[in-house]
Amino acid sequence: NTQDEMSEILWGMDRIANLVKAANYVGHDDHLQSPQYNHLAASKTAASTTSPYAQPRSTSKLLQLAQACELYHNSTLSTQMSQISSQRNNQYQQSHATLQQLIQQELSSAKTAKERIQSRQKRRDQLEQEERTQLELQQRQQEEERQLQLEAQRAKEEEERAKSEEERAKELKRKEQLQQAERQAEEAEATKYAHVKRAQSLIENLEVVRSSSLAEFDKSKSVSKRRLQFKKVVNGRINTLSHEVNKILDVGRVVVEAIEGASRDDEAAAAGGGGGEGVMTMGKKYLLDLLASNLIVRVQAGTFNGVRGDGFPLAGVIGFV
């Protein structure tokens, strides 16, 4: 807006300068002094007074018009300048008042923030003081508990030291009696089951005697065919047992025939000459030992007493034999 007003003022000044130049130019023109031109100027004098844009034809009129324009523009310029100054003052006052209001608001906000910070700091100090007080109280309680524990420990030690030597001797004697009673119980237990240990030792000796007496038959090549026949009966036919009665009877008859055949062969070897003694007469004994060993292995199996186990078939075979 200020730039527009200044442009208008400058434009007015330019008009004044142009009018002055026009007046000087008109004063030097001779043809403007003719009667015809004066008549036209006189006829238009009235129009020049009614219209501000009339063009006068004399130098004096032009000068008067220039002076009037200059006076008009000077008064207008001062009025506009005063208006601009007044507007600037008003704007300055408004800006100053707005800035002052903003400053007051910022000061109020800063004051409020400072009060909040001080309040939080005060609350924090209170909490820290309470924590220190609580910590000191806990430390005092712990120290009191520790002192009580130390006193109780000292009292217990004093009580233990206060025990008489007689009580200690009684305690020692009681322990010795208990140890003696335990030793007597162990000796009685060993005496009670001595026969079991003796039986185990005898069984071990019998195992050694059996192995040594049959070892020669088990290794001799002269009776290899007989050993093979015995193993076919014990390890072969007995493995075919089932819960059918006819099968049990058939296996039982095979075992009986094998035992009888081994007995006959032993008797024949004993009656004959040459190598009749020793290995050739041990067939039945070897067969019975092989059969007993096979039965022991089967009885020790986990499925012996099961629904489909070997218990019933083996019992039937042994009963038949």
Side-chain angles (χ1 to χ4, degrees), residues 115-130:
E115 292 176 354
R116 291 178 179 175
I117 293 172
Q118 291 176 352
S119 177
R120 287 197 294 269
Q121 184 65 33
K122 184 178 179 181
R123 179 59 180 169
R124 189 182 298 109
D125 294 340
Q126 291 178 354
L127 293 175
E128 291 178 355
Q129 182 63 30
E130 292 177 357

Side-chain angles (χ1 to χ4, degrees), residues 30-42:
D30 295 334
H31 68 280
L32 295 177
Q33 303 296 327
S34 62
Q36 294 177 355
Y37 182 82
N38 291 332
H39 175 73
L40 292 173

Side-chain angles (χ1 to χ4, degrees), residues 249-304:
L249 295 177
D250 291 340
V251 174
R253 280 191 292 268
V254 171
V255 174
V256 170
E257 291 176 357
I259 294 173
E260 292 177 350
S263 179
R264 287 193 301 268
D265 293 340
D266 291 343
E267 292 176 357
E277 300 293 336
V279 178
M280 300 302 296
T281 60
M282 296 171 61
K284 180 179 179 181
K285 184 178 180 181
Y286 181 84
L287 177 58
L288 292 176
D289 182 78
L290 185 64
L291 179 62
S293 300
N294 185 274
L295 293 176
I296 291 172
V297 172
R298 291 179 178 273
V299 169
Q300 292 176 350
T303 59
F304 179 74

Side-chain angles (χ1 to χ4, degrees), residues 79-90:
T79 302
Q80 291 178 350
M81 291 300 291
S82 63
Q83 290 178 355
I84 293 171
S85 176
S86 177
Q87 290 178 357
R88 288 182 177 178
N89 290 331
N90 292 333

Side-chain angles (χ1 to χ4, degrees), residues 43-56 61 65:
S43 64
K44 294 182 180 180
T45 301
S48 64
T49 58
T50 58
S51 176
Y53 300 101
Q55 298 179 358
K61 291 294 182 179
L65 178 60

Side-chain angles (χ1 to χ4, degrees), residues 227-239:
R227 286 200 309 270
L228 182 60
Q229 292 177 357
F230 296 157
K231 290 180 180 180
K232 286 182 178 180
V233 172
V234 175
N235 297 328
R237 298 303 299 272
I238 292 180
N239 284 337

Side-chain angles (χ1 to χ4, degrees), residues 193-249:
Y193 293 99
H195 64 283
V196 176
K197 294 182 178 180
R198 178 62 178 168
Q200 291 177 352
S201 177
L202 292 174
I203 291 172
E204 292 175 357
N205 293 332
L206 289 174
E207 182 68 21
V208 173
V209 171
R210 184 181 69 84
S211 300
S212 61
S213 62
L214 298 177
E216 186 177 359
F217 188 89
D218 195 26
K219 296 178 181 179
S220 178
K221 294 182 179 180
S222 61
V223 293
S224 59
K225 292 183 178 180
R226 296 184 67 187
R227 286 200 309 270
L228 182 60
Q229 292 177 357
F230 296 157
K231 290 180 180 180
K232 286 182 178 180
V233 172
V234 175
N235 297 328
R237 298 303 299 272
I238 292 180
N239 284 337
T240 63
L241 279 174
S242 65
H243 287 258
E244 297 179 2
V245 178
N246 294 330
K247 188 66 175 178
I248 294 172
L249 295 177

